[in-house]
Amino acid sequence: MEIKAIRGFNDILPDEIGKWQFLEITAREVFEGFGFSEIRIPILERTELFSRGIGEATDIVEKEMYTFTDRSGNSLTLRPEATASMARAYLEHQLYTFDPVAKLYCIGPMFRYERPQKGRFRQFYQIDAEVFGVENPMVDAEVIVMLIDFLKRVGLEKLELQINSLGCRDCRPRYREELKKFFAQKAFQLCEDCRRRLDTNPLRIFDCKVETCREAIVDAPKVIHFICSKCKMHFDQVKGYLETAGLSYVLNPKMVRGLDYYTRTAFEVVSYQLGSQNAVTGGGRYDNLFQEIGGLDIPGIGFAIGMERLVSLLPKDKEFIQTPHLFVAILGEKTIKEAYRIINQLHLQGIRAECDYEGKSLKSQMRRADKLKAQYVLILGENELKRGKAVLRNMGNKVQEEIPILDLVNIIKEKARHQE
Ligand code: HAM
């Protein structure tokens, strides 16, 4: 029987890869410009990193992790997100001894056992950026501005930045109690999961998709009305810096984010071009995560962009596909060896050159060049070769010219530079 990929796990095929590479290159460019450095972290971690970091009573930890016991009896988990791993790496390698402030990004696959649907997969890619070691609200704005700059540079439109403040360890408990009281009166309306969450983690009721639960949250108390004066001041300053940067935002008092580590600033970017899975990015501040996983009191803030959702939003008319710069059409047996010498030279000089391996007619070679969207075709005929020449055809404007083979590499490089 034919073996197929696992449900929710996708292949990214060569005709789509241009978009992915474009996003990755742009992210690197933008983030490095904002002072971020790349970090690569393992895909597998000890399970307790996530259960302690993300929170036992979250959907991710309760039911979405790919967890298994390895041959030595250790419980390991495929990372469902990158923030906890990046924090672990920062602690483990004591990056704070070099500089207390670390600005890091990472790009790679995450794994969650969710029900696959449009925009939701079991293996999905995130572009993740984090700042460790700064409590100052200026950095909240910096991170959000970087995110929006990136999204705009890749051509996204119809985006909305939503922000909220989730309070801190001092003010959250009072809010939790209020929520419990409120939902206890509505318990009859809540699904079985949410009735359980009432005790374990009432904030998570906000994320429930069950219709009756969604009705129950309409009048629920909002965290923003319970935050302490320090959190309020922090949030006001974040908003002030966003305004200084000229960024518009929408306050969303019902946004609580699905992971337990968040404190104070929380944000999402949603796109009205997407369906129900409309969050392109989620992020926020997490001033207690480091304590949960390593006992140090280090603040942090960051975000993760879902790459599949972003890819689906990229402008349709933009050309992302990598095209060979050059197709070499070989005419006649006697030219094959010389053609190979030329193609080899082009490859070694970093020029994308493709050719026909089957000795086909010029017509069919030209058809293939067309299909591969070659920008130029180099026609190598016996007579021209004898004179040290070849014909170069511009596939865009169909103009042909005879060029000296000795200058070929320079000519092609020059043309590629100017994208004639
Ligand atoms: P998250 O909201 O769970 O946050 O995920 C961030 C983004 O990843 C979402 O907005 C979405 O675009 C994408 N995403 C999540 N789950 C899936 C899925 N099953 N299929 C496709 N895309 C998905 C986090 O992961 C936090 N670590 C973000 C963060 C970083 N907060 C602070 N720093």
Side-chain angles (χ1 to χ4, degrees), residues 344-361:
N344 187 44
Q345 222 185 358
L346 291 168
H347 285 161
L348 294 177
Q349 298 279 338
I351 292 174
R352 234 178 124 97
E354 192 50 65
C355 71
D356 164 56
Y357 297 99
E358 318 254 314
K360 295 224 171 99
S361 69

Side-chain angles (χ1 to χ4, degrees), residues 8-10 12 16 20 23 108-110 118-127 274 280 305-314:
F9 287 64
N10 298 316
I12 302 160
E16 308 162 84
W20 290 76
L23 292 180
M110 309 295 151
K118 187 169 175 282
R120 200 206 272 157
F121 310 98
R122 290 181 172 170
Q123 175 178 315
F124 58 96
Y125 283 74
Q126 283 187 343
I127 300 178
L274 289 171
V280 188
I305 305 166
M307 286 190 76
E308 285 78 1
R309 293 185 195 174
L310 195 51
V311 163
S312 73
L313 289 172
L314 288 182

Side-chain angles (χ1 to χ4, degrees), residues 8 54 60 64 80-84 86 110-132 257-259 261-262 267-269 274 277-286 289 300-310:
I54 299 171
I60 297 181
E64 294 171 0
E81 59 114 46
T83 314
M86 286 160 80
M110 309 295 151
F111 305 86
R112 295 185 194 172
Y113 192 81
E114 294 193 80
R115 197 170 52 77
Q117 63 177 80
K118 187 169 175 282
R120 200 206 272 157
F121 310 98
R122 290 181 172 170
Q123 175 178 315
F124 58 96
Y125 283 74
Q126 283 187 343
I127 300 178
D128 189 300
E130 313 287 348
V131 178
F132 299 148
R257 308 280 302 125
L259 302 90
Y261 51 56
Y262 290 111
F267 55 93
E268 284 186 357
V269 176
L274 289 171
Q277 303 302 316
N278 65 355
V280 188
T281 307
R285 182 164 272 291
Y286 41 86
L289 171 67
I301 178 160
F303 61 78
I305 305 166
M307 286 190 76
E308 285 78 1
R309 293 185 195 174
L310 195 51

